[in-house]
């Protein structure tokens, strides 16, 4: 949900184990009008410790995935549980589907690669804070429109068969399509058919899009453990 009135400056926290990257990112964000970095942690554990003693909580936390002691997925889960009002944005070198799904299911509202531009970072943070989510090329415009609508029952927007729903829940896991086929006792070709049918029904272009739609519709729960 969008805040009724935007603050004069949004507060930002960063968790990244590469000091140079974290400091460079901090300078980059501080150069963006309306944003200020107030906390930097070398991993999720350090960030949570700093949050516990901080008089001011950030509006948004930017999380790397690969960190020692407490990685991005575990950090996102803990932040979502302990600080639900802090919006989360994943920023990583990982461009694989599994990483994106893990971070989205853990509570992140968006996912950026570290080679993004300053303008894209600004756009992502702004949309997450003011609209709730940020989608890059992983998801189509229609999905964005659907998620941004104030719709109490998004599952009423589309009807899925029992087997399509079963496939969708498997697709939101870390299972490969071959493993899904084995679990559903179907051929890989049939599984490909379910995938393409759902891409068409939900108007998404990727497995990540399927997961985001399923979480928003309440068909799949975001991880909290």
């Amino acid at each position: 949900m969008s805040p009724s009135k935007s603050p004069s400056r949004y507060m930002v926290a960063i968790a990244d184990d590469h000091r140079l990257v974290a400091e460079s990112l901090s300078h980059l964000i501080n150069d963006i009008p309306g944003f200020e970095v107030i906390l930097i942690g070398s991993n999720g554990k350090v960030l949570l410790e700093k949050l516990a003693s901080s008089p001011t909580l950030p509006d948004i936390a930017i999380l790397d995935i690969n960190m020692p002691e407490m990685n991005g997925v575990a950090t996102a889960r803990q932040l979502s549980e302990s600080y639900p009002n802090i919006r989360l944005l994943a920023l990583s070198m990982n461009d694989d589907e599994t990483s994106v799904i893990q971070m989205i299911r853990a509570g992140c509202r968006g996912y950026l690669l570290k080679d993004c531009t300053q303008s894209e970072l600004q756009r992502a943070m702004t949309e997450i804070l003011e609209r709730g989510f940020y989608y890059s090329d992983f998801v189509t415009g229609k999905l964005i429109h659907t998620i941004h609508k104030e719709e109490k029952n998004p599952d009423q927007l589309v009807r899925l068969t029992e087997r399509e729903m079963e496939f969708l829940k498997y697709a939101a896991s870390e299972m490969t399509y071959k493993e899904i086929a084995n679990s559903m006792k179907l051929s890989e070709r049939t599984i490909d058919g379910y995938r393409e049918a759902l891409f068409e029904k939900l108007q998404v272009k990727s497995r990540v899009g399927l997961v985001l739609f399923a979480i928003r519709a309440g068909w799949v729960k975001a991880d909290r453990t």
Side-chain angles (χ1 to χ4, degrees):
M1 293 288 292
S2 302
S4 58
K5 183 178 180 180
S6 298
S8 58
R9 185 169 285 268
Y10 286 117
M11 303 294 110
V12 183
I14 298 170
D16 196 304
D17 63 317
H18 293 95
R19 183 174 178 178
L20 183 61
V21 171
E23 290 180 353
S24 297
L25 181 60
S26 177
H27 290 310
L28 194 70
I29 292 172
N30 286 333
D31 283 340
I32 298 174
F35 290 88
E36 178 183 353
V37 175
I38 59 171
L39 291 174
I40 298 177
S42 57
N43 58 56
K45 181 180 179 183
V46 173
L47 180 61
L48 285 163
E49 290 171 351
K50 289 188 175 184
L51 283 172
S53 59
S54 175
T56 303
L57 292 179
D59 299 292
I60 187 169
I62 300 176
L63 311 177
D64 190 10
I65 295 179
N66 301 316
M67 297 184 290
E69 291 194 66
M70 191 173 193
N71 66 22
V73 176
T75 303
R77 287 173 179 159
Q78 188 59 55
L79 286 172
S80 296
E81 182 70 29
S82 303
Y83 302 97
N85 290 329
I86 299 177
R87 301 290 173 88
L88 307 179
L89 169 63
L91 182 66
S92 174
M93 292 294 293
N94 297 3
D95 61 357
D96 60 286
E97 202 171 62
T98 298
S99 295
V100 180
I101 290 173
Q102 284 180 327
M103 292 300 280
I104 294 296
R105 291 203 64 180
C108 288
R109 304 298 189 94
Y111 194 104
L112 284 179
L113 297 178
K114 285 188 174 179
D115 64 354
C116 69
T117 63
Q118 184 186 43
S119 61
E120 186 174 11
L121 175 62
Q122 179 179 357
R123 184 167 65 252
M125 292 191 297
T126 300
E127 290 199 12
I128 286 172
L129 288 163
E130 297 183 358
R131 298 184 183 182
F133 290 88
Y134 171 74
Y135 301 108
S136 56
D137 293 337
F138 291 121
V139 191
T140 66
K142 181 160 184 179
L143 177 59
I144 296 173
H145 176 71
T146 300
I147 290 180
H148 287 171
K149 285 177 64 176
E150 295 298 323
E151 181 68 52
K152 291 184 178 180
N153 297 303
D155 57 312
Q156 294 179 359
L157 298 174
V158 63
R159 297 293 182 185
L160 303 186
T161 68
E162 195 171 317
R163 289 295 264 174
E164 285 175 335
M165 185 69 76
E166 182 182 1
F167 168 78
L168 185 60
K169 290 178 179 178
Y170 280 127
S173 72
E174 296 174 37
M175 295 172 67
T176 65
Y177 285 124
K178 183 176 182 179
E179 289 170 339
I180 293 173
N182 290 335
S183 295
M184 294 183 69
K185 295 181 173 54
L186 297 171
S187 69
E188 291 184 54
R189 193 171 189 177
T190 301
I191 289 299
D192 288 342
Y194 278 122
R195 182 187 65 230
E196 296 305 318
L198 285 176
F199 281 178
E200 178 65 26
K201 271 190 178 183
L202 304 183
Q203 289 294 291
V204 300
K205 296 180 179 179
S206 69
R207 186 170 177 176
V208 173
L210 290 179
V211 176
L212 288 168
F213 195 105
I215 290 175
R216 178 64 181 86
W219 297 332
V220 173
K221 298 296 183 183
D223 296 334
R224 286 293 181 269
T225 58

